[in-house]
Amino acid sequence: MSESYSHAETLGKIIRGRRSIKPGQFSGEIIADEAISFILDSARWAPTHALTQPWRFTVISSEGILRFADFMQATYQEQTPPDKFNVLKYEKLGNSLKTCSHIILIGMKRQDIQKLPEWEELAAVSSAVQNMQLMATALDVACYWSSGGVSTHKAMLPWLNLSENDKALGMLLMGKSDVEPSVPERKPIDYYTNFIDK
Ligand SMILES: Cc1cc2nc3c(=O)[nH]c(=O)nc-3n(C[C@H](O)[C@H](O)[C@H](O)COP(=O)(O)O)c2cc1C
């Protein structure tokens, strides 16, 4: 097998092996700082039109997680009309965050001149997050991209040092896990691809 196919096999294994693993499946073990650095470094190699590099992250760990969980619960309570407020959801929100080793908040910084359409900046952030998820898989770090709770709400922007024109895009909830996740089925190539050769 040529060298490039051997690289492809290694990368394919990581791509196929990436799974969304949730806090309920985390062991409580803390992720090493070095692994977090590898994951953050992988983000900046994502493609980015005009090199705007619009991704912004805030890494929360240790006692920061307790403060963040309190904030998420309080914001959920503030933003939810009393008749829609669900106490189980409120409690689950706090408990699941507190099970994490690290939480990486995901943001998009809009250029002041807004030369690029917003979708291109969102696409660049998504590419960066995928790099991080793949690096996490390679390092045996469990994570998943959550847009739950109030993680995309404007109230998140100060946590990301961002302002009104920018966006909060959820969070990577991270931990270590021994659970073997089930593999959600994927459609075949022909389902999502047109081939034109004439
Ligand atoms: C932008 C984005 C936001 C997501 N938000 C949530 C979420 O809030 N809750 C959730 O259960 N899964 C969320 N997911 C993860 C998907 O549920 C998951 O990717 C899907 O079930 C496929 O499983 P897999 O990632 O293990 O292949 C999100 C994924 C993406 C890309």
Side-chain angles (χ1 to χ4, degrees):
M1 190 188 288
S2 73
E3 198 187 354
S4 55
Y5 274 94
S6 140
H7 288 155
E9 205 167 88
T10 305
L11 180 58
K13 211 169 152 201
I14 294 168
I15 291 172
R16 288 188 300 275
R18 181 209 56 78
R19 286 282 71 75
S20 294
I21 301 177
K22 300 191 176 175
Q25 299 168 312
F26 294 169
S27 63
E29 190 184 332
I30 300 297
I31 301 164
D33 288 344
E34 192 186 16
I36 296 293
S37 297
F38 263 73
I39 290 165
L40 290 169
D41 184 72
S42 70
R44 67 200 176 100
W45 299 104
T48 156
H49 193 176
L51 272 177
T52 58
Q53 303 172 68
W55 41 82
R56 295 292 183 276
F57 305 110
T58 293
V59 181
I60 306 179
S61 62
S62 190
E63 283 167 23
I65 291 193
L66 304 181
R67 196 160 67 80
F68 180 65
D70 286 348
F71 160 84
M72 288 290 269
Q73 285 184 310
T75 310
Y76 167 67
Q77 194 159 18
E78 262 166 47
Q79 302 294 333
T80 312
D83 59 318
K84 298 256 165 60
F85 180 79
N86 180 333
V87 73
L88 286 179
K89 197 169 166 184
Y90 173 88
E91 278 167 8
K92 193 174 161 210
L93 184 60
N95 292 340
S96 67
L97 295 172
K98 286 174 195 164
T99 318
C100 298
S101 161
H102 290 70
I103 298 170
I104 301 186
L105 305 183
I106 301 163
M108 181 209 71
K109 170 89 185 140
R110 197 80 172 101
Q111 294 295 106
D112 290 338
I113 51 167
Q114 302 199 353
K115 200 173 96 189
L116 299 180
E118 189 183 63
W119 77 264
E120 296 203 50
E121 304 290 43
L122 294 169
V125 176
S126 302
S127 303
V129 174
Q130 180 67 350
N131 277 3
M132 294 203 290
Q133 294 189 100
L134 295 178
M135 184 58 83
T137 304
L139 291 164
D140 204 21
V141 165
C143 67
Y144 100 101
W145 188 347
S146 167
S147 48
V150 290
S151 65
T152 57
H153 196 276
K154 279 199 179 306
M156 296 292 298
L157 293 171
W159 286 85
L160 283 152
N161 292 331
L162 291 176
S163 51
E164 283 291 294
N165 289 333
D166 308 325
K167 286 253 167 355
L169 298 172
M171 52 200 174
L172 271 187
L173 303 184
M174 311 174 79
K176 296 285 284 180
S177 177
D178 300 324
V179 175
E180 198 57 55
S182 60
V183 183
E185 213 172 289
R186 263 34 188 197
K187 309 261 192 227
I189 295 173
D190 284 350
Y191 178 84
Y192 55 82
T193 314
N194 293 311
F195 293 95
I196 299 174
D197 60 4
K198 289 200 179 60

